[in-house]
Amino acid sequence: MDHSRAGATATALLSPALNLYRALEARGLDAAALFRRAGCDPELLRVQETRVTNRTVRRLYEVAEEATGDVCIGIDVGAQFRGVAMHALGHAWLASGTLAEAMLRISRYTRVLSEFWHADLREEPAGVRFAIAYRDRDAYGPLSRHDAVLAATVKLARITYGEAFAPLEVTVQRERPGCAHRFEEWFRAPIVWAAPQPSLLFRREDLSRPLATANSDVAVASEQIAADYAARLDRDDIRTRVKRELLGVLPSGAPSQMRIARSVGLSSRTLHRRLAESETSFAALLDETRRDLALEYLRRSDYAVGEVAYMLGFAETSSFNRAFKRWTGLSPSDYRRAPAEATADTDRG
């Protein structure tokens, strides 16, 4: 496997980063500013199913560690975790009959959360190990990001099982840090430092205990949604890949087709041909992405119109105003003032 390419192109669902956002806010920091410093527009946390590259999530954790000076911030991120941040997988977990079922679903559909790591369940003499495998450890980023996955898994188990839940053992890849006591306080289990792989070892009886939150209908329906979503990811969807890249670079100005082609690993000519085969063009996708984001920003934020124009890569507010009028028939200010029901048809258009 070409790990450098894997690190550049692998994607992750952005919504789990909301827990990092909350952890930063809990410390009194300007989480929105820190996200922007990392090259991630915090407003995208509001957009369903937003996916970003692995390097974007890695940079978020790098900036978080720099801002806090805390290499153990991953524990705080895990403590903030909510199932709703995991797309349909979160609902499937919360409705599973047992923790074993919940963890099997995570293992089966890890790709919904991230294309850069996957979870494995394996039987051992002492219990069942939930292990995390990465495509490339170095490209994954700070070890606090690894820690957050383990801490979040325990948080979800406590939501469904109860606060008494604790693993038998935790293995982490970092050397024992000065803040090791926070690992011990959170996991309430022995910690193995400098291990080859992050993992959690569970008691079999804990994994098989019936959960009070179980709802088989919801679990099955949510798993189907997760399966459908994973299937969409498996398809080589050039439209999605281009739009994903556009989301990351628009605040730097209108990107060229050549720049986006390089970022998805194609020549400009090949990208043009692939998009034509998908019955679209680079210009059409750029216009569509700007339109969708403009509607989100104006409807769900208090950004000034000029700020929205900047975030969408328009050199001048007047250019954005003309484009928005072409998309919706309204000026940005009129759209924002209009009642929600009056703009519903415009949004769908």
Side-chain angles (χ1 to χ4, degrees), residues 238-247 249-250 253-264 266-291 312:
I238 191 63
R239 294 171 59 104
T240 300
R241 290 170 63 193
V242 168
K243 290 187 74 171
R244 186 166 62 230
E245 293 298 327
L246 288 171
L247 289 172
V249 302
L250 276 175
S256 68
Q257 178 170 308
M258 182 175 294
R259 176 181 179 181
I260 297 300
R262 283 198 303 266
S263 68
V264 297
L266 300 173
S267 69
S268 183
R269 179 177 296 180
T270 300
L271 176 61
H272 177 82
R273 176 176 57 79
R274 294 278 300 278
L275 290 175
E277 290 169 353
S278 297
E279 300 181 347
T280 189
S281 66
F282 177 77
L285 285 181
L286 174 60
D287 198 57
E288 178 183 317
T289 303
R290 281 173 152 173
R291 175 188 182 279
L312 298 182

Side-chain angles (χ1 to χ4, degrees), residues 34-35 66 81 89 103 123 126 158 168 181 199 212 249 268 271 274 293 300 306:
L34 292 174
F35 266 55
E66 292 166 5
F81 218 83
L89 266 182
M103 291 180 185
E123 290 280 347
R158 288 174 180 161
L168 279 171
H181 65 281
S199 72
V249 302
S268 183
L271 176 61
R274 294 278 300 278
L293 286 177
R300 302 187 183 185

Side-chain angles (χ1 to χ4, degrees), residues 324-338:
F324 197 87
K325 187 70 177 288
R326 171 170 55 81
W327 295 328
T328 67
L330 299 171
S331 71
S333 299
D334 288 343
Y335 176 86
R336 177 169 268 166
R337 285 194 295 265

